[in-house]
Amino acid sequence: RTGRIIVNYLLLSAGLPLVIIKAKERRDTYIKGLERAEEPLRELMHLQTFEVEKASKAMESIKASQLIELFKEALRESLDRILTTMLEAKGYKLSPSEEVAKELGYSASTIRGLVRRGYFIAVKRGKSWWTSPMFDLRRGNIL
C-alpha cells in the first residue's frame, strides 16, 4: 500500500494521473509480483551494514517486471479514462467494443484484445469496453 501511495505521489508530481490497480481483477498477479520482488529484499534484511557488495547484488536481482507491467497497464487505463471523458465532452460518441468490432469487420474478441493491448483509446463501463473506430491508435492520425 505504501509503495502504491509513493508511486501515485510521484506520478501526480510529474503531472500524470493516478494509477489504480483494481484488486478484484488483478489481485493474483499483483500478489505474485509483490512476492517475486520481495524475495531479494528478505535477503537484505539479514545482511550486515558492511556487506555492501551482497546488498548491491540483492538489489539488482529484484524481479519487478510483473509489477511494472501491472502499473503500466493501470496508467494506460487512467489516461484512457481521462481522454474518453474529454473526447465525449467534445461530442465524440463511444460505443460498446462489440459494435465497433462489427463496424471494422473484427470479431468481438479481437477488438477486446486490441483494447487490452492499448491499440484503442477505450474505457471500461460495467462489463464492456467502450471505444470508437476513430480511437484506433494504429492509424497514426486519430480523430
Side-chain angles (χ1 to χ4, degrees), residues 24-74:
K24 287 181 185 176
E25 296 171 11
R26 300 184 179 121
R27 180 175 168 72
D28 291 339
T29 303
Y30 183 67
I31 297 299
K32 286 176 187 172
L34 283 175
E35 288 170 352
R36 286 190 72 206
E38 196 176 73
E39 290 169 15
L41 295 177
R42 286 192 203 114
E43 185 179 322
L44 276 176
M45 292 170 51
H46 302 292
L47 295 177
Q48 302 297 320
T49 54
F50 59 84
E51 296 180 283
V52 176
E53 191 172 315
K54 282 184 180 178
S56 177
K57 284 183 182 178
M59 288 300 288
E60 288 173 9
S61 68
I62 292 176
K63 297 174 182 93
S65 59
Q66 267 186 315
L67 291 175
I68 291 168
E69 288 305 312
L70 199 58
F71 275 87
K72 282 171 38 178
E73 188 177 322

mmCIF file of all heavy atoms in Angstrom, residues 24-74:
data_model
loop_
_atom_site.group_PDB
_atom_site.id
_atom_site.type_symbol
_atom_site.label_atom_id
_atom_site.label_comp_id
_atom_site.label_asym_id
_atom_site.label_seq_id
_atom_site.Cartn_x
_atom_site.Cartn_y
_atom_site.Cartn_z
ATOM 1 N N LYS A 24 -9.788 -6.785 -7.382
ATOM 2 C CA LYS A 24 -10.589 -7.939 -7.785
ATOM 3 C C LYS A 24 -10.086 -8.533 -9.093
ATOM 4 O O LYS A 24 -9.958 -9.727 -9.234
ATOM 5 C CB LYS A 24 -12.058 -7.539 -7.949
ATOM 6 C CG LYS A 24 -12.778 -7.290 -6.653
ATOM 7 C CD LYS A 24 -14.215 -6.921 -6.916
ATOM 8 C CE LYS A 24 -14.910 -6.542 -5.635
ATOM 9 N NZ LYS A 24 -16.281 -6.095 -5.863
ATOM 10 N N GLU A 25 -9.806 -7.662 -10.070
ATOM 11 C CA GLU A 25 -9.425 -8.131 -11.395
ATOM 12 C C GLU A 25 -7.989 -8.610 -11.457
ATOM 13 O O GLU A 25 -7.656 -9.501 -12.209
ATOM 14 C CB GLU A 25 -9.617 -7.015 -12.422
ATOM 15 C CG GLU A 25 -11.054 -6.605 -12.587
ATOM 16 C CD GLU A 25 -11.193 -5.363 -13.444
ATOM 17 O OE1 GLU A 25 -10.216 -4.942 -14.075
ATOM 18 O OE2 GLU A 25 -12.311 -4.819 -13.467
ATOM 19 N N ARG A 26 -7.097 -8.002 -10.687
ATOM 20 C CA ARG A 26 -5.669 -8.270 -10.836
ATOM 21 C C ARG A 26 -4.985 -8.701 -9.541
ATOM 22 O O ARG A 26 -3.776 -8.658 -9.436
ATOM 23 C CB ARG A 26 -4.990 -7.019 -11.364
ATOM 24 C CG ARG A 26 -5.548 -6.597 -12.701
ATOM 25 C CD ARG A 26 -4.792 -5.431 -13.239
ATOM 26 N NE ARG A 26 -5.323 -5.052 -14.525
ATOM 27 C CZ ARG A 26 -5.810 -3.864 -14.797
ATOM 28 N NH1 ARG A 26 -5.808 -2.933 -13.892
ATOM 29 N NH2 ARG A 26 -6.272 -3.598 -15.993
ATOM 30 N N ARG A 27 -5.758 -9.099 -8.581
ATOM 31 C CA ARG A 27 -5.209 -9.421 -7.266
ATOM 32 C C ARG A 27 -4.112 -10.486 -7.319
ATOM 33 O O ARG A 27 -3.037 -10.304 -6.762
ATOM 34 C CB ARG A 27 -6.329 -9.875 -6.340
ATOM 35 C CG ARG A 27 -5.850 -10.239 -4.953
ATOM 36 C CD ARG A 27 -7.021 -10.563 -4.037
ATOM 37 N NE ARG A 27 -6.609 -11.174 -2.810
ATOM 38 C CZ ARG A 27 -5.990 -10.579 -1.810
ATOM 39 N NH1 ARG A 27 -5.667 -9.316 -1.919
ATOM 40 N NH2 ARG A 27 -5.655 -11.220 -0.715
ATOM 41 N N ASP A 28 -4.358 -11.593 -8.006
ATOM 42 C CA ASP A 28 -3.369 -12.683 -8.057
ATOM 43 C C ASP A 28 -2.059 -12.231 -8.697
ATOM 44 O O ASP A 28 -0.985 -12.505 -8.181
ATOM 45 C CB ASP A 28 -3.927 -13.894 -8.802
ATOM 46 C CG ASP A 28 -5.041 -14.582 -8.041
ATOM 47 O OD1 ASP A 28 -5.115 -14.386 -6.804
ATOM 48 O OD2 ASP A 28 -5.826 -15.307 -8.655
ATOM 49 N N THR A 29 -2.157 -11.528 -9.819
ATOM 50 C CA THR A 29 -0.951 -11.034 -10.498
ATOM 51 C C THR A 29 -0.196 -10.074 -9.591
ATOM 52 O O THR A 29 1.035 -10.122 -9.490
ATOM 53 C CB THR A 29 -1.328 -10.316 -11.809
ATOM 54 O OG1 THR A 29 -2.058 -11.220 -12.629
ATOM 55 C CG2 THR A 29 -0.098 -9.835 -12.551
ATOM 56 N N TYR A 30 -0.937 -9.199 -8.921
ATOM 57 C CA TYR A 30 -0.320 -8.215 -8.035
ATOM 58 C C TYR A 30 0.405 -8.896 -6.865
ATOM 59 O O TYR A 30 1.560 -8.604 -6.573
ATOM 60 C CB TYR A 30 -1.398 -7.249 -7.533
ATOM 61 C CG TYR A 30 -0.868 -6.147 -6.654
ATOM 62 C CD1 TYR A 30 -0.035 -5.161 -7.175
ATOM 63 C CD2 TYR A 30 -1.197 -6.089 -5.309
ATOM 64 C CE1 TYR A 30 0.454 -4.156 -6.371
ATOM 65 C CE2 TYR A 30 -0.716 -5.080 -4.506
ATOM 66 C CZ TYR A 30 0.112 -4.111 -5.038
ATOM 67 O OH TYR A 30 0.595 -3.113 -4.243
ATOM 68 N N ILE A 31 -0.260 -9.858 -6.238
ATOM 69 C CA ILE A 31 0.333 -10.564 -5.095
ATOM 70 C C ILE A 31 1.570 -11.347 -5.533
ATOM 71 O O ILE A 31 2.613 -11.298 -4.883
ATOM 72 C CB ILE A 31 -0.700 -11.514 -4.430
ATOM 73 C CG1 ILE A 31 -1.879 -10.725 -3.852
ATOM 74 C CG2 ILE A 31 -0.051 -12.387 -3.373
ATOM 75 C CD1 ILE A 31 -1.524 -9.720 -2.766
ATOM 76 N N LYS A 32 1.490 -12.064 -6.664
ATOM 77 C CA LYS A 32 2.651 -12.818 -7.162
ATOM 78 C C LYS A 32 3.805 -11.879 -7.500
ATOM 79 O O LYS A 32 4.963 -12.185 -7.226
ATOM 80 C CB LYS A 32 2.266 -13.652 -8.384
ATOM 81 C CG LYS A 32 1.447 -14.873 -8.037
ATOM 82 C CD LYS A 32 1.015 -15.611 -9.282
ATOM 83 C CE LYS A 32 0.054 -16.733 -8.904
ATOM 84 N NZ LYS A 32 -0.552 -17.359 -10.072
ATOM 85 N N GLY A 33 3.483 -10.750 -8.088
ATOM 86 C CA GLY A 33 4.523 -9.771 -8.419
ATOM 87 C C GLY A 33 5.200 -9.227 -7.179
ATOM 88 O O GLY A 33 6.424 -9.072 -7.135
ATOM 89 N N LEU A 34 4.411 -8.946 -6.149
ATOM 90 C CA LEU A 34 4.988 -8.477 -4.880
ATOM 91 C C LEU A 34 5.892 -9.539 -4.264
ATOM 92 O O LEU A 34 6.982 -9.232 -3.774
ATOM 93 C CB LEU A 34 3.877 -8.118 -3.884
ATOM 94 C CG LEU A 34 3.155 -6.799 -4.097
ATOM 95 C CD1 LEU A 34 2.015 -6.665 -3.092
ATOM 96 C CD2 LEU A 34 4.103 -5.624 -3.993
ATOM 97 N N GLU A 35 5.434 -10.787 -4.297
ATOM 98 C CA GLU A 35 6.237 -11.868 -3.712
ATOM 99 C C GLU A 35 7.557 -12.041 -4.457
ATOM 100 O O GLU A 35 8.601 -12.215 -3.836
ATOM 101 C CB GLU A 35 5.435 -13.177 -3.722
ATOM 102 C CG GLU A 35 4.316 -13.183 -2.701
ATOM 103 C CD GLU A 35 3.356 -14.354 -2.853
ATOM 104 O OE1 GLU A 35 3.460 -15.110 -3.859
ATOM 105 O OE2 GLU A 35 2.488 -14.515 -1.974
ATOM 106 N N ARG A 36 7.519 -11.978 -5.795
ATOM 107 C CA ARG A 36 8.759 -12.110 -6.588
ATOM 108 C C ARG A 36 9.721 -10.963 -6.299
ATOM 109 O O ARG A 36 10.921 -11.162 -6.208
ATOM 110 C CB ARG A 36 8.440 -12.145 -8.078
ATOM 111 C CG ARG A 36 7.843 -13.458 -8.505
ATOM 112 C CD ARG A 36 7.751 -13.562 -9.995
ATOM 113 N NE ARG A 36 9.108 -13.732 -10.524
ATOM 114 C CZ ARG A 36 9.468 -13.362 -11.743
ATOM 115 N NH1 ARG A 36 8.611 -12.791 -12.542
ATOM 116 N NH2 ARG A 36 10.692 -13.557 -12.153
ATOM 117 N N ALA A 37 9.195 -9.765 -6.179
ATOM 118 C CA ALA A 37 10.049 -8.599 -5.920
ATOM 119 C C ALA A 37 10.570 -8.611 -4.491
ATOM 120 O O ALA A 37 11.636 -8.071 -4.205
ATOM 121 C CB ALA A 37 9.268 -7.320 -6.191
ATOM 122 N N GLU A 38 9.830 -9.248 -3.603
ATOM 123 C CA GLU A 38 10.170 -9.245 -2.183
ATOM 124 C C GLU A 38 11.295 -10.221 -1.825
ATOM 125 O O GLU A 38 12.022 -10.010 -0.860
ATOM 126 C CB GLU A 38 8.899 -9.619 -1.403
ATOM 127 C CG GLU A 38 8.934 -9.314 0.052
ATOM 128 C CD GLU A 38 7.597 -9.645 0.684
ATOM 129 O OE1 GLU A 38 7.291 -10.848 0.849
ATOM 130 O OE2 GLU A 38 6.862 -8.705 1.000
ATOM 131 N N GLU A 39 11.454 -11.291 -2.606
ATOM 132 C CA GLU A 39 12.455 -12.319 -2.287
ATOM 133 C C GLU A 39 13.843 -11.742 -2.022
ATOM 134 O O GLU A 39 14.433 -12.013 -0.974
ATOM 135 C CB GLU A 39 12.517 -13.370 -3.406
ATOM 136 C CG GLU A 39 11.296 -14.248 -3.472
ATOM 137 C CD GLU A 39 11.253 -15.092 -4.740
ATOM 138 O OE1 GLU A 39 12.297 -15.210 -5.411
ATOM 139 O OE2 GLU A 39 10.173 -15.615 -5.047
ATOM 140 N N PRO A 40 14.415 -10.929 -2.930
ATOM 141 C CA PRO A 40 15.751 -10.378 -2.668
ATOM 142 C C PRO A 40 15.774 -9.419 -1.472
ATOM 143 O O PRO A 40 16.790 -9.284 -0.799
ATOM 144 C CB PRO A 40 16.107 -9.631 -3.954
ATOM 145 C CG PRO A 40 15.180 -10.146 -4.984
ATOM 146 C CD PRO A 40 13.959 -10.607 -4.270
ATOM 147 N N LEU A 41 14.646 -8.778 -1.200
ATOM 148 C CA LEU A 41 14.596 -7.852 -0.070
ATOM 149 C C LEU A 41 14.712 -8.591 1.259
ATOM 150 O O LEU A 41 15.285 -8.073 2.215
ATOM 151 C CB LEU A 41 13.304 -7.030 -0.111
ATOM 152 C CG LEU A 41 13.170 -6.086 -1.309
ATOM 153 C CD1 LEU A 41 11.826 -5.386 -1.293
ATOM 154 C CD2 LEU A 41 14.299 -5.081 -1.341
ATOM 155 N N ARG A 42 14.185 -9.813 1.316
ATOM 156 C CA ARG A 42 14.320 -10.616 2.536
ATOM 157 C C ARG A 42 15.790 -10.893 2.833
ATOM 158 O O ARG A 42 16.221 -10.877 3.977
ATOM 159 C CB ARG A 42 13.565 -11.936 2.399
ATOM 160 C CG ARG A 42 12.079 -11.771 2.501
ATOM 161 C CD ARG A 42 11.386 -13.127 2.662
ATOM 162 N NE ARG A 42 10.030 -12.987 2.218
ATOM 163 C CZ ARG A 42 9.525 -13.586 1.159
ATOM 164 N NH1 ARG A 42 10.242 -14.413 0.443
ATOM 165 N NH2 ARG A 42 8.280 -13.390 0.813
ATOM 166 N N GLU A 43 16.559 -11.151 1.778
ATOM 167 C CA GLU A 43 17.995 -11.384 1.935
ATOM 168 C C GLU A 43 18.679 -10.131 2.491
ATOM 169 O O GLU A 43 19.559 -10.211 3.335
ATOM 170 C CB GLU A 43 18.607 -11.758 0.585
ATOM 171 C CG GLU A 43 20.069 -12.135 0.674
ATOM 172 C CD GLU A 43 20.634 -12.512 -0.686
ATOM 173 O OE1 GLU A 43 19.923 -13.163 -1.473
ATOM 174 O OE2 GLU A 43 21.794 -12.154 -0.938
ATOM 175 N N LEU A 44 18.244 -8.969 2.027
ATOM 176 C CA LEU A 44 18.831 -7.711 2.503
ATOM 177 C C LEU A 44 18.650 -7.513 4.007
ATOM 178 O O LEU A 44 19.505 -6.953 4.674
ATOM 179 C CB LEU A 44 18.183 -6.521 1.790
ATOM 180 C CG LEU A 44 18.719 -6.127 0.441
ATOM 181 C CD1 LEU A 44 17.890 -4.991 -0.141
ATOM 182 C CD2 LEU A 44 20.167 -5.711 0.518
ATOM 183 N N MET A 45 17.532 -7.975 4.518
ATOM 184 C CA MET A 45 17.224 -7.780 5.933
ATOM 185 C C MET A 45 18.233 -8.475 6.842
ATOM 186 O O MET A 45 18.443 -8.062 7.970
ATOM 187 C CB MET A 45 15.801 -8.275 6.239
ATOM 188 C CG MET A 45 14.735 -7.417 5.594
ATOM 189 S SD MET A 45 13.068 -8.117 5.699
ATOM 190 C CE MET A 45 12.906 -8.494 7.412
ATOM 191 N N HIS A 46 18.878 -9.518 6.337
ATOM 192 C CA HIS A 46 19.794 -10.292 7.164
ATOM 193 C C HIS A 46 21.261 -9.892 6.984
ATOM 194 O O HIS A 46 22.137 -10.452 7.624
ATOM 195 C CB HIS A 46 19.622 -11.793 6.869
ATOM 196 C CG HIS A 46 18.221 -12.262 7.120
ATOM 197 N ND1 HIS A 46 17.670 -12.329 8.379
ATOM 198 C CD2 HIS A 46 17.250 -12.659 6.268
ATOM 199 C CE1 HIS A 46 16.427 -12.744 8.291
ATOM 200 N NE2 HIS A 46 16.143 -12.960 7.020
ATOM 201 N N LEU A 47 21.512 -8.938 6.097
ATOM 202 C CA LEU A 47 22.896 -8.525 5.854
ATOM 203 C C LEU A 47 23.349 -7.501 6.887
ATOM 204 O O LEU A 47 22.554 -6.744 7.437
ATOM 205 C CB LEU A 47 23.018 -7.908 4.450
ATOM 206 C CG LEU A 47 22.764 -8.856 3.282
ATOM 207 C CD1 LEU A 47 22.844 -8.079 1.970
ATOM 208 C CD2 LEU A 47 23.751 -10.004 3.270
ATOM 209 N N GLN A 48 24.623 -7.489 7.118
ATOM 210 C CA GLN A 48 25.224 -6.500 7.998
ATOM 211 C C GLN A 48 25.523 -5.249 7.171
ATOM 212 O O GLN A 48 25.650 -5.315 5.953
ATOM 213 C CB GLN A 48 26.522 -7.047 8.624
ATOM 214 C CG GLN A 48 26.331 -8.327 9.423
ATOM 215 C CD GLN A 48 25.423 -8.123 10.625
ATOM 216 O OE1 GLN A 48 25.505 -7.107 11.300
ATOM 217 N NE2 GLN A 48 24.540 -9.080 10.873
ATOM 218 N N THR A 49 25.664 -4.123 7.808
ATOM 219 C CA THR A 49 25.889 -2.869 7.086
ATOM 220 C C THR A 49 27.166 -2.888 6.261
ATOM 221 O O THR A 49 27.256 -2.213 5.252
ATOM 222 C CB THR A 49 25.945 -1.680 8.076
ATOM 223 O OG1 THR A 49 26.921 -1.957 9.066
ATOM 224 C CG2 THR A 49 24.611 -1.437 8.715
ATOM 225 N N PHE A 50 28.160 -3.674 6.638
ATOM 226 C CA PHE A 50 29.423 -3.702 5.898
ATOM 227 C C PHE A 50 29.371 -4.621 4.670
ATOM 228 O O PHE A 50 30.308 -4.680 3.888
ATOM 229 C CB PHE A 50 30.593 -4.102 6.811
ATOM 230 C CG PHE A 50 30.412 -5.452 7.459
ATOM 231 C CD1 PHE A 50 30.761 -6.626 6.809
ATOM 232 C CD2 PHE A 50 29.870 -5.530 8.736
ATOM 233 C CE1 PHE A 50 30.572 -7.851 7.406
ATOM 234 C CE2 PHE A 50 29.686 -6.758 9.343
ATOM 235 C CZ PHE A 50 30.042 -7.934 8.684
ATOM 236 N N GLU A 51 28.299 -5.364 4.478
ATOM 237 C CA GLU A 51 28.185 -6.281 3.344
ATOM 238 C C GLU A 51 27.562 -5.574 2.134
ATOM 239 O O GLU A 51 26.569 -5.997 1.572
ATOM 240 C CB GLU A 51 27.357 -7.498 3.749
ATOM 241 C CG GLU A 51 28.015 -8.334 4.852
ATOM 242 C CD GLU A 51 27.176 -9.525 5.230
ATOM 243 O OE1 GLU A 51 26.177 -9.338 5.946
ATOM 244 O OE2 GLU A 51 27.530 -10.637 4.790
ATOM 245 N N VAL A 52 28.215 -4.516 1.706
ATOM 246 C CA VAL A 52 27.701 -3.667 0.633
ATOM 247 C C VAL A 52 27.572 -4.421 -0.689
ATOM 248 O O VAL A 52 26.577 -4.273 -1.402
ATOM 249 C CB VAL A 52 28.610 -2.423 0.458
ATOM 250 C CG1 VAL A 52 28.145 -1.575 -0.712
ATOM 251 C CG2 VAL A 52 28.652 -1.625 1.736
ATOM 252 N N GLU A 53 28.551 -5.242 -1.018
ATOM 253 C CA GLU A 53 28.522 -5.958 -2.297
ATOM 254 C C GLU A 53 27.330 -6.918 -2.356
ATOM 255 O O GLU A 53 26.625 -6.994 -3.358
ATOM 256 C CB GLU A 53 29.830 -6.721 -2.512
ATOM 257 C CG GLU A 53 29.946 -7.245 -3.930
ATOM 258 C CD GLU A 53 31.318 -7.841 -4.196
ATOM 259 O OE1 GLU A 53 32.324 -7.227 -3.811
ATOM 260 O OE2 GLU A 53 31.341 -8.938 -4.779
ATOM 261 N N LYS A 54 27.100 -7.654 -1.267
ATOM 262 C CA LYS A 54 25.950 -8.566 -1.235
ATOM 263 C C LYS A 54 24.642 -7.773 -1.348
ATOM 264 O O LYS A 54 23.715 -8.192 -2.028
ATOM 265 C CB LYS A 54 25.951 -9.379 0.058
ATOM 266 C CG LYS A 54 26.928 -10.521 0.070
ATOM 267 C CD LYS A 54 26.757 -11.310 1.354
ATOM 268 C CE LYS A 54 27.719 -12.479 1.417
ATOM 269 N NZ LYS A 54 27.586 -13.208 2.684
ATOM 270 N N ALA A 55 24.597 -6.645 -0.669
ATOM 271 C CA ALA A 55 23.396 -5.813 -0.708
ATOM 272 C C ALA A 55 23.142 -5.310 -2.123
ATOM 273 O O ALA A 55 22.007 -5.308 -2.610
ATOM 274 C CB ALA A 55 23.533 -4.642 0.261
ATOM 275 N N SER A 56 24.193 -4.905 -2.803
ATOM 276 C CA SER A 56 24.073 -4.413 -4.171
ATOM 277 C C SER A 56 23.551 -5.504 -5.101
ATOM 278 O O SER A 56 22.664 -5.266 -5.926
ATOM 279 C CB SER A 56 25.434 -3.916 -4.659
ATOM 280 O OG SER A 56 25.351 -3.515 -5.993
ATOM 281 N N LYS A 57 24.069 -6.721 -4.963
ATOM 282 C CA LYS A 57 23.616 -7.840 -5.793
ATOM 283 C C LYS A 57 22.151 -8.174 -5.507
ATOM 284 O O LYS A 57 21.386 -8.493 -6.426
ATOM 285 C CB LYS A 57 24.494 -9.062 -5.564
ATOM 286 C CG LYS A 57 25.841 -8.951 -6.247
ATOM 287 C CD LYS A 57 26.659 -10.202 -6.057
ATOM 288 C CE LYS A 57 28.023 -10.015 -6.721
ATOM 289 N NZ LYS A 57 28.881 -11.164 -6.548
ATOM 290 N N ALA A 58 21.766 -8.110 -4.236
ATOM 291 C CA ALA A 58 20.376 -8.398 -3.880
ATOM 292 C C ALA A 58 19.442 -7.362 -4.504
ATOM 293 O O ALA A 58 18.381 -7.707 -5.036
ATOM 294 C CB ALA A 58 20.208 -8.424 -2.364
ATOM 295 N N MET A 59 19.832 -6.104 -4.484
ATOM 296 C CA MET A 59 19.002 -5.044 -5.067
ATOM 297 C C MET A 59 18.878 -5.219 -6.587
ATOM 298 O O MET A 59 17.818 -4.999 -7.150
ATOM 299 C CB MET A 59 19.593 -3.667 -4.749
ATOM 300 C CG MET A 59 19.439 -3.251 -3.298
ATOM 301 S SD MET A 59 17.712 -3.157 -2.766
ATOM 302 C CE MET A 59 17.197 -1.696 -3.638
ATOM 303 N N GLU A 60 19.961 -5.627 -7.233
ATOM 304 C CA GLU A 60 19.938 -5.825 -8.678
ATOM 305 C C GLU A 60 19.059 -7.003 -9.079
ATOM 306 O O GLU A 60 18.559 -7.054 -10.198
ATOM 307 C CB GLU A 60 21.360 -6.057 -9.200
ATOM 308 C CG GLU A 60 22.211 -4.801 -9.195
ATOM 309 C CD GLU A 60 23.666 -5.073 -9.560
ATOM 310 O OE1 GLU A 60 23.981 -6.205 -9.976
ATOM 311 O OE2 GLU A 60 24.474 -4.149 -9.410
ATOM 312 N N SER A 61 18.869 -7.942 -8.180
ATOM 313 C CA SER A 61 18.105 -9.139 -8.538
ATOM 314 C C SER A 61 16.601 -9.001 -8.270
ATOM 315 O O SER A 61 15.874 -9.966 -8.445
ATOM 316 C CB SER A 61 18.653 -10.348 -7.772
ATOM 317 O OG SER A 61 18.378 -10.218 -6.396
ATOM 318 N N ILE A 62 16.164 -7.830 -7.868
ATOM 319 C CA ILE A 62 14.730 -7.652 -7.626
ATOM 320 C C ILE A 62 13.977 -7.841 -8.945
ATOM 321 O O ILE A 62 14.275 -7.210 -9.944
ATOM 322 C CB ILE A 62 14.436 -6.266 -7.010
ATOM 323 C CG1 ILE A 62 15.017 -6.204 -5.594
ATOM 324 C CG2 ILE A 62 12.941 -5.979 -7.001
ATOM 325 C CD1 ILE A 62 14.882 -4.872 -4.929
ATOM 326 N N LYS A 63 13.027 -8.727 -8.921
ATOM 327 C CA LYS A 63 12.258 -9.070 -10.122
ATOM 328 C C LYS A 63 10.900 -8.371 -10.057
ATOM 329 O O LYS A 63 9.946 -8.915 -9.539
ATOM 330 C CB LYS A 63 12.090 -10.575 -10.212
ATOM 331 C CG LYS A 63 13.399 -11.317 -10.352
ATOM 332 C CD LYS A 63 13.173 -12.820 -10.292
ATOM 333 C CE LYS A 63 14.470 -13.558 -10.376
ATOM 334 N NZ LYS A 63 15.044 -13.865 -9.086
ATOM 335 N N ALA A 64 10.861 -7.178 -10.595
ATOM 336 C CA ALA A 64 9.642 -6.385 -10.511
ATOM 337 C C ALA A 64 8.921 -6.263 -11.850
ATOM 338 O O ALA A 64 8.023 -5.445 -11.986
ATOM 339 C CB ALA A 64 9.979 -5.001 -9.967
ATOM 340 N N SER A 65 9.287 -7.079 -12.828
ATOM 341 C CA SER A 65 8.701 -6.928 -14.161
ATOM 342 C C SER A 65 7.176 -7.100 -14.145
ATOM 343 O O SER A 65 6.467 -6.379 -14.843
ATOM 344 C CB SER A 65 9.335 -7.891 -15.159
ATOM 345 O OG SER A 65 9.171 -9.223 -14.739
ATOM 346 N N GLN A 66 6.667 -8.039 -13.342
ATOM 347 C CA GLN A 66 5.210 -8.220 -13.260
ATOM 348 C C GLN A 66 4.546 -6.961 -12.724
ATOM 349 O O GLN A 66 3.526 -6.530 -13.240
ATOM 350 C CB GLN A 66 4.873 -9.385 -12.333
ATOM 351 C CG GLN A 66 4.717 -10.711 -13.027
ATOM 352 C CD GLN A 66 4.241 -11.777 -12.060
ATOM 353 O OE1 GLN A 66 4.741 -11.883 -10.949
ATOM 354 N NE2 GLN A 66 3.290 -12.566 -12.495
ATOM 355 N N LEU A 67 5.137 -6.397 -11.684
ATOM 356 C CA LEU A 67 4.567 -5.189 -11.096
ATOM 357 C C LEU A 67 4.654 -4.016 -12.065
ATOM 358 O O LEU A 67 3.713 -3.227 -12.174
ATOM 359 C CB LEU A 67 5.274 -4.835 -9.784
ATOM 360 C CG LEU A 67 5.029 -5.800 -8.631
ATOM 361 C CD1 LEU A 67 5.878 -5.417 -7.429
ATOM 362 C CD2 LEU A 67 3.566 -5.794 -8.250
ATOM 363 N N ILE A 68 5.769 -3.913 -12.767
ATOM 364 C CA ILE A 68 5.936 -2.823 -13.734
ATOM 365 C C ILE A 68 4.870 -2.911 -14.815
ATOM 366 O O ILE A 68 4.230 -1.910 -15.166
ATOM 367 C CB ILE A 68 7.360 -2.837 -14.336
ATOM 368 C CG1 ILE A 68 8.373 -2.435 -13.266
ATOM 369 C CG2 ILE A 68 7.451 -1.931 -15.561
ATOM 370 C CD1 ILE A 68 9.816 -2.691 -13.636
ATOM 371 N N GLU A 69 4.631 -4.108 -15.338
ATOM 372 C CA GLU A 69 3.604 -4.289 -16.371
ATOM 373 C C GLU A 69 2.218 -3.951 -15.830
ATOM 374 O O GLU A 69 1.408 -3.324 -16.514
ATOM 375 C CB GLU A 69 3.633 -5.717 -16.929
ATOM 376 C CG GLU A 69 4.822 -6.004 -17.810
ATOM 377 C CD GLU A 69 4.975 -5.019 -18.964
ATOM 378 O OE1 GLU A 69 3.971 -4.753 -19.668
ATOM 379 O OE2 GLU A 69 6.090 -4.505 -19.148
ATOM 380 N N LEU A 70 1.950 -4.363 -14.605
ATOM 381 C CA LEU A 70 0.663 -4.073 -13.982
ATOM 382 C C LEU A 70 0.462 -2.569 -13.833
ATOM 383 O O LEU A 70 -0.608 -2.036 -14.152
ATOM 384 C CB LEU A 70 0.610 -4.760 -12.609
ATOM 385 C CG LEU A 70 -0.728 -4.982 -11.962
ATOM 386 C CD1 LEU A 70 -1.645 -5.795 -12.844
ATOM 387 C CD2 LEU A 70 -0.535 -5.676 -10.628
ATOM 388 N N PHE A 71 1.500 -1.856 -13.390
ATOM 389 C CA PHE A 71 1.421 -0.410 -13.225
ATOM 390 C C PHE A 71 1.297 0.291 -14.579
ATOM 391 O O PHE A 71 0.545 1.255 -14.713
ATOM 392 C CB PHE A 71 2.626 0.128 -12.450
ATOM 393 C CG PHE A 71 2.453 0.047 -10.966
ATOM 394 C CD1 PHE A 71 2.804 -1.098 -10.280
ATOM 395 C CD2 PHE A 71 1.924 1.108 -10.252
ATOM 396 C CE1 PHE A 71 2.633 -1.186 -8.906
ATOM 397 C CE2 PHE A 71 1.745 1.032 -8.877
ATOM 398 C CZ PHE A 71 2.105 -0.109 -8.200
ATOM 399 N N LYS A 72 2.003 -0.199 -15.610
ATOM 400 C CA LYS A 72 1.904 0.402 -16.943
ATOM 401 C C LYS A 72 0.484 0.262 -17.483
ATOM 402 O O LYS A 72 -0.071 1.202 -18.050
ATOM 403 C CB LYS A 72 2.910 -0.249 -17.893
ATOM 404 C CG LYS A 72 4.316 0.257 -17.686
ATOM 405 C CD LYS A 72 5.407 -0.469 -18.434
ATOM 406 C CE LYS A 72 5.188 -0.951 -19.784
ATOM 407 N NZ LYS A 72 6.370 -1.611 -20.389
ATOM 408 N N GLU A 73 -0.095 -0.913 -17.296
ATOM 409 C CA GLU A 73 -1.455 -1.148 -17.766
ATOM 410 C C GLU A 73 -2.449 -0.247 -17.026
ATOM 411 O O GLU A 73 -3.340 0.351 -17.636
ATOM 412 C CB GLU A 73 -1.815 -2.621 -17.556
ATOM 413 C CG GLU A 73 -3.114 -3.037 -18.179
ATOM 414 C CD GLU A 73 -3.374 -4.527 -17.999
ATOM 415 O OE1 GLU A 73 -2.427 -5.325 -18.082
ATOM 416 O OE2 GLU A 73 -4.543 -4.868 -17.780
ATOM 417 N N ALA A 74 -2.271 -0.129 -15.713
ATOM 418 C CA ALA A 74 -3.168 0.717 -14.922
ATOM 419 C C ALA A 74 -3.016 2.192 -15.311
ATOM 420 O O ALA A 74 -4.004 2.930 -15.367
ATOM 421 C CB ALA A 74 -2.894 0.525 -13.429
#
